[in-house]
Amino acid sequence: KRVAILISGGGSNMLALCESMTGDHPARPVLVASNDPEAGGLKKAAALGIPTAAVDHRPFAGDRAAFEAEFLKPILAAGPDILCLAGFMRVLTPGFVERFKGRMLNIHPSLLPKYPGLDTHARALAAGDAEAGCTVHEVTPVLDDGPILGQARVPVLAGDTAETLAARVLREEHRLYPAVLRRFACGDRTPVRS
Ligand code: GRF
């Protein structure tokens, strides 16, 4: 299976995914693409010898469809079977999502359906939640919705800040996403609960 990974920043999840796709793993990374040419993850992917692409979304102002028409070019050229959003911070139009229906995954730093959207850790702390975590789900036109393919939980500890909680969740993301991708690439959609 050919996997394209979309990033917007440092790409720590992308790195975890790429490092997991070795040996008898049924998938291989074929492209890392970003909406930000300065995304740190692009250099990390290049260092692994993985083809990269970047289309700056800013010149397109609010015209999402125009940005996506450009962004799709290197993605379609890579011929991916699966798309993994990993720290990808742009909302995709239903048209883009439809093209990859049933084969596009995203990782979100909360226990969905709680806290879709941004600032998930601050919201969990404000709510006094005893635990937090991350979710891998199939991407559908509704933001941070879609069938859940995996979740991982962490305790919220006394004195936690959004930063300390984010770091604890991120470590779990790096374990969960590769586990889900491996199963998904084998055609198994049984949720991973860790
Ligand atoms: C992190 O906040 C992570 O929780 C979320 O995307 C952000 C950046 O992740 N999934 P990455 O290091 O770019 O993978």
Side-chain angles (χ1 to χ4, degrees):
K1 289 277 190 286
R2 300 169 60 84
V3 174
I5 305 173
L6 306 190
I7 65 169
S8 295
S12 71
N13 274 289
M14 173 276 297
L15 213 49
L17 289 172
C18 291
E19 288 168 351
S20 77
M21 288 185 261
T22 58
D24 69 345
H25 195 299
R28 287 289 181 275
V30 295
L31 177 72
V32 171
S34 180
N35 62 291
D36 179 353
E38 302 306 312
L42 291 170
K43 292 184 190 64
K44 296 173 189 170
L48 293 176
I50 299 164
T52 62
V55 175
D56 191 337
H57 69 273
R58 286 165 297 191
F60 297 92
D63 188 343
R64 289 186 194 286
F67 161 69
E68 290 177 0
E70 274 310 302
F71 199 47
L72 265 173
K73 289 175 183 169
I75 294 170
L76 295 178
D81 300 301
I82 299 170
L83 241 54
C84 290
L85 307 185
F88 187 69
M89 302 306 279
R90 305 299 298 167
V91 171
L92 294 165
T93 64
F96 188 105
V97 172
E98 199 56 40
R99 283 187 95 112
F100 298 98
K101 190 174 174 59
R103 54 200 183 99
M104 179 153 60
L105 311 182
N106 180 47
I107 188 155
H108 179 76
S110 81
L111 295 171
L112 290 174
K114 292 181 83 168
Y115 315 127
L118 299 173
D119 302 320
T120 60
H121 305 305
R123 291 155 67 191
L125 290 173
D129 292 353
E131 62 176 15
C134 49
T135 303
V136 176
H137 62 95
E138 282 189 44
V139 175
T140 59
V142 177
L143 184 70
D144 298 332
D145 195 56
I148 290 177
L149 293 170
Q151 288 196 311
R153 296 168 184 278
V154 301
V156 174
L157 303 177
D160 259 339
T161 63
E163 289 69 30
T164 58
L165 184 52
R168 192 171 310 124
V169 172
L170 194 58
R171 269 194 301 279
E172 287 308 311
E173 293 181 37
H174 297 162
R175 293 192 190 100
L176 179 69
Y177 213 167
V180 170
L181 176 60
R182 189 181 186 98
R183 241 187 225 190
F184 191 82
C186 296
D188 179 353
R189 287 181 155 109
T190 317
V192 171
R193 303 268 172 202
S194 66

